[in-house]
Amino acid sequence: MTLSPVPGPESPESLRTQVRRAVIWRSGSQIVAQMIQWASTFLVIRLLDPRDYGLFAMAQVVLVLLNMLNGFGLASGLIQAADVTERQIRQLFGMLIALNVGLAALQLLLAPVAAAYYRQPIIADMLRVQALLYLTTPFVALPFALLSRRMDFRHQARANICASIAAAAAALAGALAGWGVWTLVIAPLILFGVRGAMMTWSARSLVWPSFDFRGAGHLARYGGIVAAGQLFWFGQSQADVFIAGRLFSPHTLGIYTTGLFLAQIFVSKVVPPLNEVAFSAYARIQHDPEAVAAAFVRSVKVVMAAAFPFYLGLAVTAEPLVLTALGPKWAETAPVVRLLALAMPFMTLQVLYTPACDALGRPGIGVSNGAIGAVVLAIGFLIGAHWGPGGLATAWICAYPVYLGISSWRALPVIGASGHAILSAVAPVLIAALAMAAAVLLLDQALLLLSPLPRLAILVVAGAGIYGGWLALFARATMSELIATVRRTG
């Protein structure tokens, strides 16, 4: 198959047009894909049992760990390269195939070990089937790199939307058919299979792989650095499940992981795209330290103005929210969500440090902070897991402020912002959010006889009104600044 050439330098106007078109396709496709995935996710959660999600979380620990080595960092190196030859593309394809076949074989070997650790024989069968995911990676990573070099996000968007629809349909069909945990195993296979096929076709990237890797050391080094940073993220994101999976029943673990999923919606879905934009903005002004510090403080204020009311509102409405969104069989999740929501503001602020430090040429700050966080959180989880899901959630509340404090001490001097400036920036919105949470909590006591849906609707509307009203009355300057910032961004 003829390989599409990599475009050469273009005029500034053409580049601006490409960037604008790319942003439209990328953001639009993300919204559509997320809507499809969210609708499917909540429907499937209502149909499946907590035990299914507990078993899936156990298997995910192995899958997430090995996926960090799947070669997407190699593909990123291809995107960054100034010039790319057909030989380099064939080498990358060969690297991706060799690496992912090796990971699939390794997962097959680890499957019985994981099943023995968790004392759940079905985990071995799940991991064996999930090993097929690695075989789709070369057909996603290579075309992703080639399309990204061309700034062709239109074909990526189409592939993502079609894959999301196919996976959602498979998940709903499996849940309705009574497949149980296998619903959660099959849907990602459909997702990545469809995405890989469509992206490979769009990029015309089905080339003959080369397994002669001489001269490709720069790709391997870049991929290795990316993988090293991701391993610390794994320590933070999977340590709780790895520890609890040994101590909890699948049902109890499912209660905890689903509560964590709900509590992390804002920091995992809303904040990452904002961080991508922030990274570009900081990089543009990195020569002006005062401007970087001011921009960072302003971004913290804007993000936390949304985060504080979201998390505190989630804490006080956890019960009607869980009953409405997930159904009565998930009622045990509500206390877990309530506790975890109190820890998430610390996590949200923590993840804002990395793009600023990276843009200033200090990526080691984020990597070392991640290593510190992995240790601090793991210690907390080891202690808290002995008290069930509530103990794990409490460990988040106790350990994350420590992690944030250490990260702030290391990152803020690099960014040029002071702790006092951060506290001054977020204090008005924090006070408004606390006032909102207290008022909603009192109002909820008068609504206990209502069914969950109208109760939740009243609390959400009242909370939004109280938060906005408080800012308008007692923090008018902050509210005006937030409105002006959003307008400029738009």
Side-chain angles (χ1 to χ4, degrees):
M1 181 175 292
T2 303
L3 186 67
S4 301
V6 177
E10 300 184 60
S11 67
E13 183 60 35
S14 174
L15 182 59
R16 282 195 293 270
T17 302
Q18 278 193 320
V19 170
R20 186 162 54 248
R21 187 181 300 119
V23 169
I24 292 172
W25 274 105
R26 186 174 183 184
S27 60
S29 66
Q30 282 181 334
I31 292 171
V32 173
Q34 284 295 329
M35 289 175 63
I36 295 169
Q37 290 174 5
W38 282 114
S40 170
T41 296
F42 282 105
L43 285 173
V44 171
I45 288 176
R46 294 181 70 92
L47 293 170
L48 298 183
D49 294 322
R51 182 179 186 276
D52 298 323
Y53 283 89
L55 291 170
F56 183 70
M58 294 175 184
Q60 281 294 99
V61 172
V62 176
L63 199 64
V64 170
L65 174 61
L66 296 185
N67 258 287
M68 291 179 181
L69 308 173
N70 66 6
F72 257 92
L74 302 175
S76 299
L78 191 70
I79 297 172
Q80 285 198 330
D83 298 299
V84 173
T85 65
E86 182 172 347
R87 179 172 182 270
Q88 289 174 319
I89 292 172
R90 292 177 56 219
Q91 282 181 320
L92 174 60
F93 196 35
M95 286 181 178
L96 289 169
I97 291 174
L99 184 58
N100 282 277
V101 168
L103 290 174
L106 180 58
Q107 183 157 308
L108 293 177
L109 292 174
L110 290 176
V113 178
Y117 172 79
Y118 291 121
R119 296 187 287 263
Q120 298 291 336
I122 194 174
I123 296 297
D125 296 329
M126 292 169 60
L127 287 171
R128 291 183 184 111
V129 174
Q130 288 173 316
L132 295 172
L133 284 169
Y134 300 105
L135 305 185
T136 68
T137 299
F139 303 96
V140 175
L142 178 60
F144 169 79
L146 295 176
L147 291 172
S148 296
R149 280 184 61 81
R150 302 169 197 162
M151 295 193 73
D152 182 356
F153 289 92
R154 178 167 59 94
H155 285 98
Q156 291 188 43
R158 290 177 176 174
N160 290 336
I161 291 172
C162 290
S164 295
I165 293 172
L172 286 173
L176 291 170
W179 293 355
V181 70
W182 291 104
T183 301
L184 305 176
V185 173
I186 298 301
L189 290 173
I190 301 296
L191 177 74
F192 288 102
V194 172
R195 181 181 293 168
M198 291 190 65
M199 289 182 65
T200 297
W201 175 262
S202 297
R204 302 294 189 268
S205 60
L206 194 59
V207 297
W208 191 259
S210 172
F211 297 99
D212 178 3
F213 301 139
R214 288 175 295 183
H218 64 289
L219 288 177
R221 285 191 296 272
Y222 187 89
I225 293 171
V226 172
Q230 289 178 329
L231 285 175
F232 295 131
W233 175 84
F234 169 83
Q236 295 183 44
S237 66
Q238 298 296 313
D240 51 352
V241 177
F242 180 76
I243 294 166
R246 178 75 175 180
L247 302 175
F248 294 2
S249 69
H251 173 93
T252 303
L253 184 62
I255 292 294
Y256 168 75
T257 54
T258 303
L260 185 61
F261 162 75
L262 289 175
Q264 289 185 333
I265 284 177
F266 185 89
V267 71
S268 64
K269 301 299 181 183
V270 177
V271 176
L274 298 178
N275 268 347
E276 291 180 11
V277 175
F279 174 80
S280 298
Y282 297 142
R284 283 175 176 265
I285 59 174
Q286 59 180 297
H287 60 279
D288 188 344
E290 292 185 1
V292 172
F296 177 76
V297 172
R298 189 162 54 248
S299 69
V300 168
K301 180 185 290 188
V302 171
V303 171
M304 300 311 292
F308 279 134
F310 177 86
Y311 292 130
L312 294 178
L314 182 61
V316 296
T317 63
E319 181 185 350
L321 174 66
V322 167
L323 294 177
T324 299
L326 308 184
K329 66 182 175 183
W330 289 93
E332 297 171 77
T333 307
V336 180
V337 172
R338 184 175 297 114
L339 289 171
L340 286 169
L342 299 177
M344 291 303 114
F346 300 104
M347 183 177 185
T348 302
L349 181 55
Q350 155 65 33
V351 300
L352 297 179
Y353 289 143
T354 300
C357 292
D358 288 353
L360 292 170
R362 297 289 298 277
I365 296 293
V367 174
S368 55
N369 280 349
I372 293 168
V375 173
V376 171
L377 292 174
I379 292 172
F381 297 146
L382 281 169
I383 297 171
H386 294 282
W387 285 271
L392 272 184
T394 303
W396 277 87
I397 297 174
C398 296
Y400 231 100
V402 176
Y403 175 25
L404 176 61
I406 297 172
S407 296
S408 300
W409 175 67
R410 302 184 72 252
L412 288 179
V414 174
I415 298 169
S418 67
H420 181 266
I422 299 296
L423 291 175
S424 298
V426 303
V429 293
L430 174 58
I431 293 170
L434 288 171
M436 177 272 295
V440 169
L441 194 59
L442 290 174
L443 176 61
D444 191 34
Q445 300 305 307
L447 302 176
L448 293 177
L449 296 180
L450 291 180
S451 57
L453 180 57
R455 179 181 162 198
L456 177 64
I458 293 171
L459 294 176
V460 169
V461 172
I466 294 167
Y467 181 69
W470 183 282
L471 288 178
L473 289 173
F474 304 109
R476 189 168 301 174
T478 297
M479 189 171 189
S480 299
E481 184 180 352
L482 291 172
I483 293 172
T485 301
V486 171
R487 284 177 177 173
R488 286 196 299 269
T489 304

